[in-house]
Amino acid sequence: MSGEKVRRRHKGPRWWRRLRYMIEYAALRFVGFVMRLLPMDTASGFMGWCWRMMAPRLRRHPRALAHLALAYPEKSAAERERIALAMWTNLGRVFAESFFVERLLASGRIEDRVAPLLETLKSSHRGIVFVSAHYGNWELAITPTMTAGIKAAGVYQRVKNDYVEALLMALRRERYPRGLFAKGTDIARRLMRVAREGGAVAMLADLRDRGGLPVPFFGRLAPSTNFPAALCRSTDAALVAARVIRVKGARFIIEAEVIQVPRTDDRDADIAETTRRIQSKFEGWIREYPDHWMWAHRRWG
């Protein structure tokens, strides 16, 4: 096949993909515009209802139910269905609330129970590595650092759509004054420097990591990122697990706990044990509020 024919073959798909990305971006901007016209509670509740109605018709709903069956074999199918529907409601609310973060921060709707812990850690002049999960409204988990005057860097999962990527970056950038870094890039040295300088690094650590360590999670081995553990072990930074509990509508409680990082002569064993402790903490929190976690992603592979 000639080079000219190859170029024609690929020109169409690339052109269509770019058009699709632009349509997705325009739709997202339009939805955000409409959401901001509504009262925050109305927007959050409406989008939660929409996701609850639509999600059971999508392929990710059976996957969520299958994961719930693995995690909760003792529960009935009806109980697992209720958890899944409540999960979709929460995810819809999180989507809507992403357009209201600044209003949420100024509204008094967030009860910050992390402040005393952060003041103690701040006075120690150690770096801090925050880990959280896709739990409650995880986008708010970093907000206590802003109140405490701790400058944080964030790690995020890049999306395929460049236009949407830029919008999400704009929505999040102010909460991460030390920068936002995409997974998969060469960021280890930069984040290590942030931690060693007494800054904070924040990341979600509950997704499947194909190159991670297999550690127990709801009774099965799940490939999990060891980066937070390795970062703490290498820099003497404190490891803090944080969660955001949705208490009523668009109202939240933020809690956090220090996870002890073992520091023995066996660095690899220390990292593996710390990774296990992180996932164990997440599992305990999820068992407390199972509808707060995102069951539809491929956590176990």
Side-chain angles (χ1 to χ4, degrees), residues 28 31 35 40-55 84-100 136-138 246 249-250 252 291-294:
L28 183 60
V31 170
M35 290 293 101
M40 184 162 38
D41 287 310
T42 302
S44 174
F46 173 70
M47 195 56 65
W49 177 83
C50 288
W51 281 49
R52 183 187 182 97
M53 293 297 103
M54 293 186 297
L85 292 176
M87 173 202 70
W88 290 120
T89 300
N90 178 67
L91 291 177
R93 285 183 173 274
V94 171
F95 173 77
E97 290 155 4
S98 65
F99 299 103
F100 291 93
N137 188 335
W138 60 90
R246 186 182 297 278
F252 309 91
D291 60 324
H292 275 38
W293 191 57
M294 194 168 64

Side-chain angles (χ1 to χ4, degrees), residues 128 130 142 150-155 175-181 190-191 194 199-203:
I128 308 171
F130 289 95
I142 194 62
I150 298 173
K151 295 182 178 181
V155 181
R175 281 168 275 163
Y176 300 93
R178 283 186 176 260
L180 275 168
F181 304 95
R190 301 175 73 175
L191 296 179
V194 169
V201 176
M203 65 192 78

Side-chain angles (χ1 to χ4, degrees), residues 2-277:
S2 69
E4 180 65 27
K5 290 182 179 179
V6 171
R7 283 193 293 272
R8 281 203 300 266
R9 170 178 289 184
H10 289 285
K11 184 177 179 180
R14 285 199 300 269
W15 174 84
W16 169 246
R17 183 169 61 250
R18 185 58 55 185
L19 177 61
R20 179 165 55 85
Y21 285 172
M22 293 176 68
I23 293 171
E24 290 173 354
Y25 170 73
L28 183 60
R29 290 297 299 263
F30 176 75
V31 170
F33 172 76
V34 173
M35 290 293 101
R36 290 190 178 100
L37 293 178
L38 299 173
M40 184 162 38
D41 287 310
T42 302
S44 174
F46 173 70
M47 195 56 65
W49 177 83
C50 288
W51 281 49
R52 183 187 182 97
M53 293 297 103
M54 293 186 297
R57 297 171 172 81
L58 304 177
R59 63 182 181 180
R60 289 195 174 191
H61 188 66
R63 184 194 302 167
L65 291 175
H67 290 165
L68 282 164
L70 290 171
Y72 296 102
E74 74 281 3
K75 292 185 181 296
S76 68
E79 289 175 312
R80 295 193 290 266
E81 179 73 20
R82 283 194 293 270
I83 293 172
L85 292 176
M87 173 202 70
W88 290 120
T89 300
N90 178 67
L91 291 177
R93 285 183 173 274
V94 171
F95 173 77
E97 290 155 4
S98 65
F99 299 103
F100 291 93
V101 172
E102 298 306 318
R103 291 193 215 176
L104 280 169
L105 296 178
S107 66
R109 293 167 175 262
I110 302 172
E111 182 182 343
D112 180 3
R113 296 182 180 177
V114 188
L117 172 61
L118 291 187
E119 286 302 318
T120 300
L121 292 174
K122 188 178 178 181
S123 64
S124 72
H125 304 291
R126 297 171 63 193
I128 308 171
V129 175
F130 289 95
V131 291
S132 191
H134 291 83
Y135 183 101
N137 188 335
W138 60 90
E139 293 284 356
L140 303 176
I142 194 62
T143 56
T145 64
M146 301 166 64
T147 304
I150 298 173
K151 295 182 178 181
V155 181
Y156 73 100
Q157 182 69 50
R158 188 187 297 276
V159 299
K160 294 180 180 179
N161 188 324
D162 294 338
Y163 303 108
V164 174
E165 169 91 358
L167 176 60
L168 294 177
M169 287 284 287
L171 290 172
R172 295 168 174 164
R173 188 175 291 116
E174 290 188 5
R175 281 168 275 163
Y176 300 93
R178 283 186 176 260
L180 275 168
F181 304 95
K183 290 181 179 178
T185 57
D186 185 18
I187 61 174
R189 290 183 180 179
R190 301 175 73 175
L191 296 179
M192 195 171 294
R193 184 174 66 182
V194 169
R196 283 177 173 160
E197 291 175 351
V201 176
M203 65 192 78
L204 293 165
D206 62 321
L207 295 180
R208 177 175 58 131
D209 186 336
R210 293 179 181 178
L213 296 175
V215 298
F217 191 67
F218 282 92
R220 300 178 64 202
L221 292 179
S224 305
T225 177
N226 64 352
F227 184 65
L231 188 58
C232 288
R233 182 62 174 73
S234 299
T235 64
D236 196 39
L239 178 61
V240 177
R243 67 170 172 171
V244 182
I245 303 170
R246 186 182 297 278
V247 290
K248 184 180 181 182
R251 295 183 180 275
F252 309 91
I253 295 172
I254 304 181
E255 297 180 339
E257 297 181 28
V258 172
I259 295 180
Q260 297 301 322
V261 178
R263 291 178 170 85
T264 69
D265 293 334
D266 191 336
R267 181 179 181 275
D268 291 343
D270 293 345
I271 291 172
E273 172 59 19
T274 303
T275 303
R276 185 198 66 78
R277 292 179 184 182

